[in-house]
Structures are given as C-alpha cells and as structure tokens.
Amino acid sequence: MKILNYTLISLLAAALISCKKDGKISNIGKDSLTAKKDSVIAPEIYKEYYGIYMGDFAGKGMVTPEDGEEYEGEIYKKISLKINRITKDSVYGQSIVDGNQRPFRGIFNETSKSFVLDEPGNNKTDGRFEVKLNNDSLTGNWNAFNKSAVKLPLKTLKLIKKEFVYNPNFMLDENSDLVDWTNPKSVTEKYTDEETGKTETYKASKNRFASDAIFKINASKQKLTEKELKNLRKLDLEIIKNAVFARHGYSFKKETFRNFFERTDWYIPVSNNVDKDLTPMEKENVVLLNRFIQYAQDKYDSFGR
C-alpha cells in the first residue's frame, strides 16, 4: 500500500513539473493577471482635450549676438505637448523639444482646467509642466527637476492646439531664408592695404546656403531623376530629402532642419521615427538623394544677421 501511495505522489509531482515546463501553470497565472488588469482600466474622459499643442518654449538667459555685447533676453524654442489619454486619476502624453521625445504623466484639475504633468525624471532635461487650458490654448510654466543641470531651469509656454495632417504638397515658403545659420565655417581671408601694399590675413565666418531648388523639387510628389539632382548643392539635397520626413511629422534632432521647417505653419513634430509612413516613391527618392548627398559639395558665403 505504501508503494502505491509513493507511486501516486511521484506521478502527481511529475505531472506538475511537466506542466510548469510547458508553461501551462505560468500561462494560467498570466491570463488571470491580464483579465484582472483589463477589468480595472479606468475609462477615458475629456477626449475633446486630446491632441497636439504647439508653440513657444521660452526662458530668460544670456543672448550672444554674432556682433555686439552679450545681454539678458528671452531665448525661444519650439515645443509640442501631445495629450494622449485622460482618466479620472491620470493624464498621459509626451513632450517634444529639440527632437527629444519624453513621456509624461500627471493629473487634470476639472475645476481650474489645469494640468500638472511630470516627465520621468531619469533625464537631466526632465521637469514638470504646470499649464492651464483655455479653449484651444495651453499656457503656463515648466520647471526642471535638476535646476543645476540645464541652462534655463524655468521656461514659459504659450501653445495652440494643432491637428497633424500629412500632405505631400507641403513645401517651404518661397520667402524662407536660404542660409544654414547653425554650422558656420571659420576661414582665413586675405586683403591688401591699398596705401602700403601690404597683405594682411583675418578670420571670417561663413555659412552654407541653399538654392531656390528647394522650392521647386518635391520628393513626395515626383519621381526624382539623377539629371535633376546632379548639380544641386549638398544643403539643397538635404532639405529636399528631409522635407519628406517633415511632412510625416518627424521630430528633427539636427538644429539645421528644425530651423528650416519650424518657420512653416504646417510642420508639426509628432514622432522620432516615421520610416514606416513613407510612400514607396518617397522611399526610392530618399535612397537616391542619400547617394547624391554623399558626394555633393556645399557653397559658403558671408552673411549678416
């Protein structure tokens, strides 16, 4: 009888071990946890407030002009706040500044129509947004968690709600500045004094600049050819290529491209990866443009602000 009992116990233990190896026990536990989690998901409210709010992100700091004395003034950047979900207890979304995308979580005060939104805090540029809703605008402040880690720990926000729409017809305005102000090149220039005939040297700052081809070539609407691209400047090719990504809402980390596209009223950064959104023709054009960018040359000149 004892032998029979031991045999039954052994068989039961083996069956349990087999189930664990097959993942059956853990799956049952996981399924029950998922069901429990789904059953307590809070309902969404105030969906009319969902969306993208864009505008100025400004703080007081020292401004250094290219020629002139340093002075204290407002330093402006562009920011997007995207509110994805609101429940009774929480608000979820993300911020985008300088191409950096950070999630946030916070609360909504129904009485004052105000949000307190905290970024995670594991990045030195993270902080807290305290903004108030007024129709389709958000205004308020941002405070850095680590005030010693950032140049401007307190900034103000003035944002307007915008709707992102992909439109292959979007182009830079023909009155846009053609100069890339972010990457000046220091060169040595020579001049000859007319009176003495002596040749002197001096340092000059030059910037690369684009041609009006950036207003004419649209890589989202036309299949590009090598003939169209072969004589273009490197900056031309880069802008034509990145206009494709701008139309899909790509958030640029490179200041050069942010500066060009933030001047438009249609550019709305929504994601740091839009590769899957490109059309087949756009993908082919980007490949061709990349090939020409690799060997293209830039043109530089001196410009005054």
Side-chain angles (χ1 to χ4, degrees):
M1 192 68 172
K2 286 182 179 180
I3 293 173
L4 181 59
N5 287 340
Y6 288 144
T7 302
L8 289 171
I9 291 170
S10 299
L11 289 171
L12 181 59
L16 287 170
I17 291 169
S18 175
C19 287
K20 189 172 183 181
K21 283 182 178 179
D22 291 339
K24 293 178 182 176
I25 290 178
S26 58
N27 283 342
I28 291 170
K30 191 181 292 183
D31 290 342
S32 62
L33 286 172
T34 301
K36 185 177 180 182
K37 182 180 178 182
D38 289 341
S39 67
V40 296
I41 288 179
E44 296 182 51
I45 56 177
Y46 298 117
K47 292 184 179 181
E48 64 271 25
Y49 302 151
Y50 291 15
I52 302 164
Y53 297 80
M54 277 191 66
D56 290 330
F57 194 41
K60 286 192 177 295
M62 298 309 294
V63 180
T64 308
E66 289 186 358
D67 43 353
E69 292 186 5
E70 188 178 59
Y71 64 93
E72 185 178 37
E74 292 281 354
I75 298 175
Y76 290 91
K77 291 186 176 183
K78 292 293 183 181
I79 187 172
S80 296
L81 290 187
K82 186 179 179 186
I83 296 175
N84 297 327
R85 187 165 178 260
I86 303 174
T87 68
K88 182 180 178 182
D89 301 315
S90 297
V91 179
Y92 302 88
Q94 64 195 41
S95 63
I96 300 177
V97 184
D98 290 348
N100 296 314
Q101 191 169 301
R102 302 295 292 159
F104 60 65
R105 182 175 178 178
I107 56 172
F108 176 65
N109 186 310
E110 181 181 1
T111 304
S112 62
K113 285 196 172 181
S114 59
F115 295 91
V116 177
L117 309 169
D118 287 339
E119 292 168 317
N122 56 357
N123 187 294
K124 69 178 183 179
T125 62
D126 285 351
R128 167 174 287 183
F129 296 96
E130 295 179 271
V131 290
K132 188 169 184 178
L133 183 67
N134 182 14
N135 295 322
D136 283 342
S137 67
L138 280 176
T139 56
N141 301 307
W142 173 88
N143 279 279
F145 294 137
N146 187 347
K147 296 191 181 341
S148 62
V150 293
K151 290 182 179 179
L152 305 175
L154 173 64
K155 296 187 180 77
T156 60
L157 297 91
K158 293 182 180 179
L159 313 180
I160 297 294
K161 191 174 185 181
K162 291 196 171 185
E163 183 180 358
F164 171 76
V165 177
Y166 166 73
N167 187 332
N169 296 307
F170 286 150
M171 296 285 285
L172 291 177
D173 187 277
E174 291 193 7
N175 295 318
S176 297
D177 194 345
L178 296 174
V179 183
D180 174 13
W181 295 105
T182 62
N183 298 294
K185 181 180 181 182
S186 181
V187 297
T188 301
E189 298 279 12
K190 293 181 179 181
Y191 77 96
T192 303
D193 190 302
E194 292 182 359
E195 292 184 3
T196 65
K198 187 177 179 181
T199 300
E200 301 283 351
T201 62
Y202 65 96
K203 292 287 186 182
S205 180
K206 293 192 172 186
N207 295 79
R208 62 185 189 148
F209 61 102
S211 75
D212 62 359
I214 64 173
F215 306 130
K216 300 173 181 177
I217 299 177
N218 184 334
S220 293
K221 287 195 68 179
Q222 62 196 86
K223 181 73 173 67
L224 302 184
T225 64
E226 293 188 3
K227 184 179 179 180
E228 288 175 296
L229 306 180
K230 67 179 181 179
N231 294 319
L232 296 186
R233 303 166 191 177
K234 187 172 185 178
L235 185 57
D236 293 340
L237 297 166
E238 289 176 341
I239 293 173
I240 292 166
K241 182 189 87 168
N242 283 291
V244 171
F245 294 95
R247 294 180 190 108
H248 287 280
Y250 179 72
S251 55
F252 293 100
K253 287 187 178 293
K254 285 191 175 181
E255 189 178 357
T256 293
F257 306 122
R258 287 203 312 273
N259 286 347
F260 275 102
F261 296 112
E262 283 181 351
R263 296 171 193 156
T264 71
D265 59 0
W266 54 262
Y267 173 59
I268 300 176
V270 294
S271 175
N272 53 18
N273 189 338
V274 298
D275 291 349
K276 60 178 173 45
D277 300 322
L278 269 59
T279 67
M281 185 181 69
E282 287 175 329
K283 290 176 182 177
E284 289 179 16
N285 284 337
V286 166
V287 170
L288 182 63
L289 285 159
N290 280 335
R291 181 154 61 86
F292 274 81
I293 287 169
Q294 189 175 358
Y295 302 104
Q297 299 294 317
D298 271 316
K299 287 199 174 182
Y300 287 84
D301 206 343
S302 299
F303 300 94
R305 287 268 186 184

